[in-house]
Amino acid sequence: MSSLAEAVPVAGLPQSRRLVAAGRWLRSNLFSSWWNALLTGLVLYGIVTFVAKALSWGVVEAVPFSGSRAECAAASGACWAFLREKVHLVLTGTYPEPERWRAYLASGVMIAAILAFAKTPIGVAGRAVLVVVSGTCSYLLLRGGVAGLPVVESHRWNGLPLILFLSAFSMAAAFPLGVALALARWSGQRGLSLFAVGYIEAVRAIPMVAVLFAGIFILPLLLSRGAAIEPVAAILIVLTLFYAAYFAEDVRGGLQALPKGQTEAAASLGLSSAQRIRLIVLPQALRTAIPGITNSIIGSFKDTSLVAIVGMHDLLSTARMAYADPQWQAYSLEANLAIGLFYFISCWLISERARRLGHGAVKAH
Amino acid sequence: MYSYIIMLSTRDPASEIGSVSAPVGQAFAAGALKPPSPPPPGAPLRERLQGLAWPLVVLLGLVGIGVLGARNVSANLAAAGMEIDFSFLWQQAGFDVSESLIAYTPRDTYARVLLVGILNTLIAAAVTLVLASAIGLVVGIAMTSANWLVRNLARLYVELLRNLPKLLIVIALYVALVRGLPHIKAAWIGPFGAMLSNRGLALPSPVIGHGGLALGFAVSFWLVGWAFWARAVKLHQDATGQRRPVALPVLVAGLVLYAGLILSGVAQIGWSVPKLTGFNVSGGIGLSLQFAALVLALSVYHGGQIGAIVEGGILATSRGQHEAALALGLSRLRTMRLIVLPQALRVITPPLGNQYSNLLKNTSIALAIGYSDLLSVVSTSVNQTFRPIELMALVALFFLVANLLISAGVNWCNHVFRIRGR
């Protein structure tokens, strides 16, 4: 991580001394032996070639967003005009065009809710209310059938609103369930703990694709006869059940790290068991579990894209629709790069937020 | 009053240094505060919970849901005139697969197509495991390199893959390969008749003409001889401190054996070279594009995660070990191979086992690019037979058993790598 400025305090030195310091840094970090010098040379050559190729493809030879298809066909570089042409298809898929604003508004509501959930100090109850309210709002917006909005079938909820809806609300429901499972495992109550261990281990052994299939094929059979369940709801339920096992495993780590003296001290103060869990056990266990939970959140967010395999049209799948168009067939790389950028930035924001949460927690003491 | 416990701890300097999760315990242990009441009666919380009624309520609720679900399933099946029955496994499957390790035609049974799927899953996982481990090892070592450029490049790689969905990598790679590689009619022909096109890679493969038994004997003889020689070299080194060569004599002996068998005419080995016949490739061994894309993408993806694990293991090895080895005059490569990595392995094994289990599960995204792994043949079978419960039970069984085997393997490795004696 040491950058040039960090490694050598060059500021404030006279010019010649600065050069010497920089030279020393270069020698110790890049050219310390013939082998390191060779490695540096090779890697530099690789980076320069790659960056040059990427720049010529993505910038110099590329057609900008404002370009046309004819220009793209003539150009040898990237066709960013393709992304402008297909932006609505990639973001909302087959959502009916006159109603498209509802898909965007619902996405906006969900993004605002996610930000509020992560950034504002509203406590557990406030967050629960936020989840329910934003969930209802985005569901009604997407679905319609109220306030004169025409109904849009759930198989036409595609792209961005779909992955936001599935990942945000499955995780919001899975987290408390995971905490409950972890507590059940930790409780020492034999029946409950056995159930929790069996559930967590079984779910974690099975691939997510299999779980999604179970949601599509088996979940409807579990309902009473005649009752139907929409695929989106079925997927939401199985995702919740699936992610809960992973969250439970993270929280278990935090519970295990909790010294026994904590609960004993809390008991000696006369706290009831519910109070001990709420005020002493969970705050500390969850704080210890932040890194694991962050990994699970990022993993779950990325893995929600697997719903494409059971025929839900998430971003990967709408991007595929875009470059399946015979007129724009050659530009799959542009679409996949854009989707990759979206995931990279989202996941990076999540880990950045978690990192700050970790620091904040340490500082508070 | 309850936040009191946490607040008190801020006055205890020990908790500032130590982990934030231990304020009360440390405060009590250090005698920094007097307990407001005598120490707890001794019964920890988990035991106290046992006396409560709510676990029973929760359990009863779960059992109730289970019973209700089972009743609904049997009612739904009865309405469709079906019951749980595995005999469909012996019916004709009637669909084809992308590739198979064993002979298979659409006229074979569902049981056989499931076996084809299981073998395809296992072979993809096995090849990915080897490739991902190799990538992870290189990336992990690069992350601890003294070279600033190499170190940060490796970090960038790990960070990038941590933030990208695996399905995106698989699909992007597959689409890029299909569109980027030439049509089969214009396939690239490499040395020895290797062919690369957007159907996949075809390589020449050895074919034993005759004398297979003699070859088998020769190979086993050679392997046993290798083991004996390695053991003798080890004993000699332990006794005298001198190291005799292993690789060269073994290689020479192998070549001599091979040449002897071929020249004397006891055995004959020919090569099957891939040839274009119409729109198909015949001869050689084929590597389909789906398989290649799946294995490459998963190796790159898990390689990044294994890299982070390897880095952690190397950093956990104390720096003194590294310096002492260098001071003894061992080269950097030998220091890594003989001193650092064996110790890192102990730290690495448990998370690595976890990765291998994830890797096996992740082969199931093969469905997205049409590789016939277990889940993809199961999905087709469910659509044809409408036997989701039976088929998903088989899938769950396969993965549960595979996971148990992986944990058993990890436990065995832990046992082998443990620190002995002292």
Side-chain angles (χ1 to χ4, degrees):
Chain A
M1 289 275 202
S2 57
S3 68
L4 187 65
E6 265 170 39
V8 208
V10 281
L13 293 178
Q15 186 71 32
S16 60
R17 295 269 303 277
R18 250 193 251 183
L19 276 180
V20 172
R24 198 178 300 145
W25 183 89
L26 278 178
R27 188 187 289 176
S28 68
N29 284 291
L30 294 177
F31 302 100
S32 57
S33 62
W34 66 267
W35 157 246
N36 255 328
L38 181 74
L39 216 56
T40 304
L42 280 177
V43 172
L44 260 186
Y45 174 76
I47 292 178
V48 168
T49 331
F50 177 78
V51 168
K53 278 224 167 112
L55 275 182
S56 107
W57 177 80
V59 180
V60 182
E61 306 287 332
V63 176
F65 289 106
S66 56
S68 70
R69 205 183 77 78
E71 286 176 77
C72 281
S76 64
C79 175
W80 303 120
F82 164 63
L83 293 181
R84 192 213 60 223
E85 177 78 19
K86 297 287 183 188
V87 62
H88 294 304
L89 180 61
V90 173
L91 287 178
T92 62
T94 59
Y95 206 84
E97 203 178 328
E99 307 297 322
R100 209 178 258 156
W101 62 272
R102 281 161 49 189
Y104 286 121
L105 190 58
S107 309
V109 167
M110 286 185 276
I111 291 174
I114 292 169
L115 290 179
F117 189 95
K119 295 232 164 186
T120 50
I122 46 175
V124 176
R127 291 199 163 93
V129 171
L130 181 68
V131 168
V132 171
V133 169
S134 63
T136 317
C137 282
S138 43
Y139 176 80
L140 289 178
L141 266 173
L142 286 172
R143 165 114 212 150
V146 287
L149 297 174
V151 173
V152 177
E153 299 283 324
S154 66
H155 64 87
R156 302 191 72 171
W157 309 356
N158 301 159
L160 186 64
L162 180 74
I163 59 155
L164 286 176
F165 189 80
L166 287 179
S167 52
F169 297 116
S170 64
M171 277 193 256
F175 189 71
L177 195 59
V179 171
L181 277 169
L183 284 174
R185 186 174 188 167
W186 172 82
S187 70
Q189 214 284 340
R190 189 159 292 175
L192 265 189
S193 137
L194 208 63
F195 169 81
V197 170
Y199 178 83
I200 295 170
E201 296 302 328
V203 169
R204 285 166 51 86
I206 296 173
M208 182 162 152
V209 179
V211 173
L212 292 175
F213 273 130
I216 295 286
F217 291 131
I218 298 185
L219 196 65
L221 291 177
L222 289 168
L223 302 175
S224 61
R225 221 165 96 55
I229 184 166
E230 287 187 34
V232 171
I235 293 294
L236 195 65
I237 291 173
V238 289
L239 281 183
T240 303
L241 295 175
F242 184 73
Y243 294 154
Y246 285 80
F247 284 132
E249 193 65 8
D250 301 328
V251 175
R252 179 173 84 113
L255 287 171
Q256 275 178 339
L258 188 74
K260 217 172 150 192
Q262 291 287 312
T263 50
E264 288 173 352
S268 75
L269 288 176
L271 302 191
S272 75
S273 61
Q275 283 172 325
R276 273 175 268 161
I277 290 179
R278 192 162 61 84
L279 300 164
I280 306 298
V281 173
L282 278 186
Q284 299 183 60
L286 291 183
R287 194 169 299 149
T288 321
I290 284 178
I293 293 173
T294 312
N295 273 338
S296 290
I297 291 178
I298 291 180
S300 309
F301 179 59
K302 293 196 303 180
D303 281 355
T304 305
S305 62
L306 294 189
V307 298
I309 291 179
V310 291
M312 319 281 293
H313 296 297
D314 78 320
L315 281 175
L316 295 184
S317 162
T318 52
R320 228 175 183 178
M321 285 180 201
Y323 59 76
D325 180 345
Q327 295 213 303
W328 299 91
Q329 229 165 15
Y331 311 115
S332 59
L333 186 58
E334 285 86 338
N336 284 329
L337 274 179
I339 306 294
L341 191 68
F342 164 78
Y343 273 103
F344 186 84
I345 292 176
S346 316
C347 296
W348 184 78
L349 286 176
I350 297 174
S351 48
E352 207 44 33
R353 173 71 201 145
R355 211 166 292 155
R356 217 149 340 123
L357 200 64
H359 284 308
V362 174
K363 237 181 261 163
H365 282 265
Chain B
M1 140 171 204
Y2 305 125
S3 52
Y4 181 55
I5 296 186
I6 314 238
M7 271 171 57
L8 271 179
S9 65
T10 56
R11 299 196 195 134
D12 177 19
S15 71
E16 301 264 343
I17 306 161
S19 105
V20 282
S21 66
V24 183
Q26 285 177 356
F28 272 99
L33 51 121
K34 283 204 178 104
S37 57
L45 179 58
R46 41 180 25 214
E47 280 167 36
R48 294 278 206 84
L49 274 178
Q50 290 176 354
L52 293 178
W54 64 265
L56 203 67
V57 176
V58 174
L59 268 183
L60 283 178
L62 289 170
V63 170
I65 292 174
V67 169
L68 201 68
R71 276 190 53 194
N72 283 341
V73 167
S74 61
N76 280 323
L77 287 180
M82 295 170 87
E83 51 189 46
I84 303 281
D85 178 6
F86 283 90
S87 60
F88 75 95
L89 285 174
W90 312 115
Q91 291 166 8
Q92 185 177 316
F95 64 92
D96 209 354
V97 294
S98 74
E99 57 208 281
S100 170
L101 291 175
I102 52 175
Y104 172 80
T105 65
R107 267 188 246 147
D108 284 320
T109 58
Y110 281 107
R112 190 159 178 97
V113 82
L114 289 179
L115 183 63
V116 168
I118 286 177
L119 290 176
N120 278 347
T121 290
L122 288 178
I123 185 85
V127 178
T128 308
L129 189 146
V130 173
L131 279 179
S133 304
I135 294 176
L137 188 64
V138 171
V139 169
I141 293 176
M143 282 172 89
T144 59
S145 159
N147 189 313
W148 183 88
L149 208 55
V150 171
R151 191 169 65 227
N152 282 292
L153 196 65
R155 286 208 175 120
L156 180 71
Y157 175 82
V158 169
E159 193 60 23
L160 193 66
L161 287 168
R162 192 175 120 92
N163 290 340
L164 290 179
K166 51 196 173 255
L167 190 60
L168 175 68
I169 303 175
V170 170
I171 290 182
L173 185 64
Y174 180 64
V175 173
L177 285 178
V178 167
R179 306 222 165 135
L181 292 175
H183 188 258
I184 185 119
K185 283 284 181 196
W188 292 332
I189 310 286
F192 306 110
M195 275 169 71
L196 184 65
S197 71
N198 65 9
R199 288 284 194 81
L201 180 67
L203 294 170
S205 60
V207 180
I208 296 171
H210 60 84
L213 200 64
L215 272 174
F217 267 122
V219 169
S220 357
F221 178 72
W222 180 65
L223 286 176
V224 171
W226 183 349
F228 267 105
W229 178 244
R231 174 109 189 112
V233 166
K234 172 106 175 65
L235 287 177
H236 182 78
Q237 188 182 12
D238 285 351
T240 65
Q242 284 167 349
R243 182 154 180 87
R244 290 172 171 165
V246 175
L248 195 65
V250 169
L251 196 67
V252 170
L255 285 177
V256 168
L257 258 179
Y258 176 76
L261 281 177
I262 299 294
L263 291 180
S264 65
V266 175
Q268 189 205 348
I269 295 181
W271 287 90
S272 161
V273 179
K275 261 198 297 288
L276 192 63
T277 48
F279 282 100
N280 282 311
V281 179
S282 63
I285 51 168
L287 195 64
S288 78
L289 208 60
Q290 290 96 328
F291 178 84
L294 178 74
V295 163
L296 272 183
L298 282 182
S299 302
V300 165
Y301 181 79
H302 284 286
Q305 305 197 350
I306 293 176
I309 294 173
V310 171
E311 185 211 16
I314 293 177
L315 292 183
T317 313
S318 78
R319 187 146 183 82
Q321 294 280 327
H322 195 223
E323 283 164 358
L326 289 179
L328 283 175
L330 291 179
S331 72
R332 276 183 189 279
L333 200 64
R334 289 194 129 185
T335 304
M336 203 34 107
R337 194 166 64 85
L338 300 172
I339 308 295
V340 177
L341 284 183
Q343 298 187 64
L345 210 53
R346 226 167 266 143
V347 184
I348 290 173
T349 314
L352 199 60
N354 223 345
Q355 271 301 313
Y356 288 162
S357 142
N358 284 343
L359 187 154
L360 176 71
K361 287 186 282 172
N362 284 345
T363 52
S364 58
I365 61 176
L367 193 55
I369 56 171
Y371 175 71
S372 294
D373 76 321
L374 176 59
L375 269 165
S376 110
V377 299
V378 161
S379 137
T380 315
S381 306
V382 168
N383 281 327
Q384 290 191 4
T385 62
F386 207 71
R387 297 253 170 218
I389 295 176
E390 294 88 337
L391 283 161
M392 295 313 288
L394 289 175
V395 170
L397 183 70
F398 168 76
F399 280 103
L400 284 173
V401 169
N403 242 40
L404 278 180
L405 289 180
I406 291 176
S407 343
V410 169
N411 285 341
W412 182 79
C413 286
N414 273 337
H415 181 74
V416 170
F417 299 147
R418 77 194 186 279
I419 300 174
R420 295 199 186 88
R422 287 278 153 92

